[in-house]
Structure formats: structure tokens, C-alpha cells
Amino acid sequence: MNVLWGGMILIGIVYGAFHGTMQEVTDAALASCREAVSLCITMAGVMALWVGIMEIARESGIVEALSGKLRPFLKFMFPRIPEGHPAQEHITVNFIANILGLGWAATPAGLKAMKALAELEEERRQEESQPGKPKGIASNEMCTFLILNISSLQLIPVNIIAYRAQYGSVNPGAVVVPGIVATAVSTGAAILFCKVMDRKAKGVRGG
């Protein structure tokens, strides 16, 4: 990403130099800097509010109650994760944050879930006496979690609403219903894909 963005900036500067529009390039860079700072302040306030609400929900037991509701789904999607394993809690928190549209707040839980899943895979490797099995390869659970995380259902797209409000949308919340429909379809497709690939993987292992 650093190379990509650096290359785009360099191309813009070179293009402006060759076409005599360096003043426009400079003005655009300064305007973008001001806009970026303003957007960051807006998003920081929005995220502080919702992350605080998430913490209140955690302390009041709402997250735990929702975790119970999600347990059958987690068992269906991650049948190889032992009951009570730390990965389950991190995955649940990540899913809840994503469903509420708190993508940034979901990231820490997602990283913890990936770490816990990697540790679980290493434990399995040792138990199955497979020292020669290559390390650094994502397990089936890790791939499933990543796909579900990316395609997650969102009931309240907080980030998008904040962006629309920042840029002067008349009705920032108009994206809620289309967002629910789109993410519901993407989540359904992700679940179907994960289960199909899981069945293929089981067939390969069985063969």
C-alpha cells in the first residue's frame, strides 16, 4: 500500500510539473490535508461514542447475552473450535461490532481472534505430530473468520453515515436499508462459500 500510494502521489506531481499545474497540485494537497484532519476529528468523535456504548454493553452483560445467541452460528461455522476457547469470545465481539457498523472497533477483537486461532492451529499440529507441516499457512477456521469478517452483515453502517454527514448529505441515514440488504447478501454468499470449501477440504483430507 505504501508503494501504491507513494506511486500515485509521485505520478500526480510529475504530471503537474510537465503540464504547468504545480500550483493546482499544491492547492489540492493543502485542501486535502485540511479535509483529512476535519474528517479524522469527526470520525474520532463518532467512534468514541460507539466504542463507549460497546463497553457499556459489555459491562452490562448485553454482549454476553448476544454471545449466547451467536453460539449456534459459531458452532456451525467453526465446528473445530473447542467449547470455551478464547477464540470464540474474540470472534463474537468482532461479529457484534461489525453488525453494529463499528469496523474500527472490531479490529482489535479481530486481531485477537486471529492470534487465538493461530495458537489453536499450532496446538493441533503438535498433537497430530506433524512437525514437517509448513508454518504460516492459515487454517480453515482463520480463512472462514476472515471471509465472514470482510462480508459481515451491518445493521447500522456508522462509518458510512458519518462520512455522508461530513460531506453534507441531506439524509446521511438513507444508506441503512440498502446497506442491510447488500451485507445480508454478501454474508449469505460468504457462508455458502465457506461451507462448500470446507466440504472440499474434508474430502481432500479424507482421500
Side-chain angles (χ1 to χ4, degrees):
M1 290 301 294
N2 290 337
V3 174
L4 176 62
W5 286 109
M8 291 174 63
I9 293 172
L10 182 60
I11 290 172
I13 293 175
V14 172
Y15 182 87
F18 274 99
H19 288 78
T21 57
M22 283 303 297
Q23 183 61 47
E24 286 80 357
V25 172
T26 302
D27 293 343
L30 293 175
S32 297
C33 290
R34 289 193 297 269
E35 186 176 336
V37 171
S38 176
L39 180 60
C40 286
I41 293 174
T42 300
M43 295 305 298
V46 172
M47 291 309 299
L49 170 64
W50 283 97
V51 170
I53 292 175
M54 192 71 178
E55 285 301 313
I56 293 173
R58 187 197 299 269
E59 293 296 328
S60 63
I62 296 177
V63 171
E64 185 177 352
L66 291 175
S67 299
K69 300 293 185 182
L70 285 175
R71 191 165 290 117
F73 175 73
L74 294 181
K75 193 65 178 176
F76 173 70
M77 296 303 303
F78 305 95
R80 298 182 67 201
I81 297 180
E83 190 68 30
H85 192 275
Q88 287 186 329
E89 178 183 354
H90 301 317
I91 291 174
T92 300
V93 173
N94 175 269
F95 282 176
I96 292 174
N98 272 325
I99 289 172
L100 295 177
L102 308 175
W104 293 349
T107 300
L111 294 175
K112 292 178 181 178
M114 276 297 190
K115 182 179 179 181
L117 291 173
E119 293 172 350
L120 179 60
E121 181 65 14
E122 181 61 26
E123 292 173 3
R124 285 182 186 149
R125 184 182 292 113
Q126 294 177 359
E127 291 175 358
E128 296 171 1
S129 299
Q130 295 179 322
K133 188 175 181 181
K135 294 184 178 181
I137 298 178
S139 66
N140 185 65
E141 288 78 14
M142 295 170 72
C143 294
T144 298
F145 171 67
L146 180 61
I147 293 171
L148 291 176
N149 179 65
I150 293 172
S151 63
S152 177
L153 171 69
Q154 287 193 6
L155 300 180
I156 310 173
V158 176
N159 292 347
I160 301 302
I161 292 174
Y163 288 140
R164 287 169 58 84
Q166 173 69 18
Y167 290 108
S169 173
V170 177
N171 184 11
V175 296
V176 172
V177 174
I180 292 175
V181 174
T183 55
V185 172
S186 67
T187 300
I191 293 172
L192 180 61
F193 175 80
C194 289
K195 299 310 290 186
V196 169
M197 296 306 295
D198 185 39
R199 179 168 296 183
K200 287 185 178 180
K202 287 179 180 178
V204 171
R205 289 195 297 266

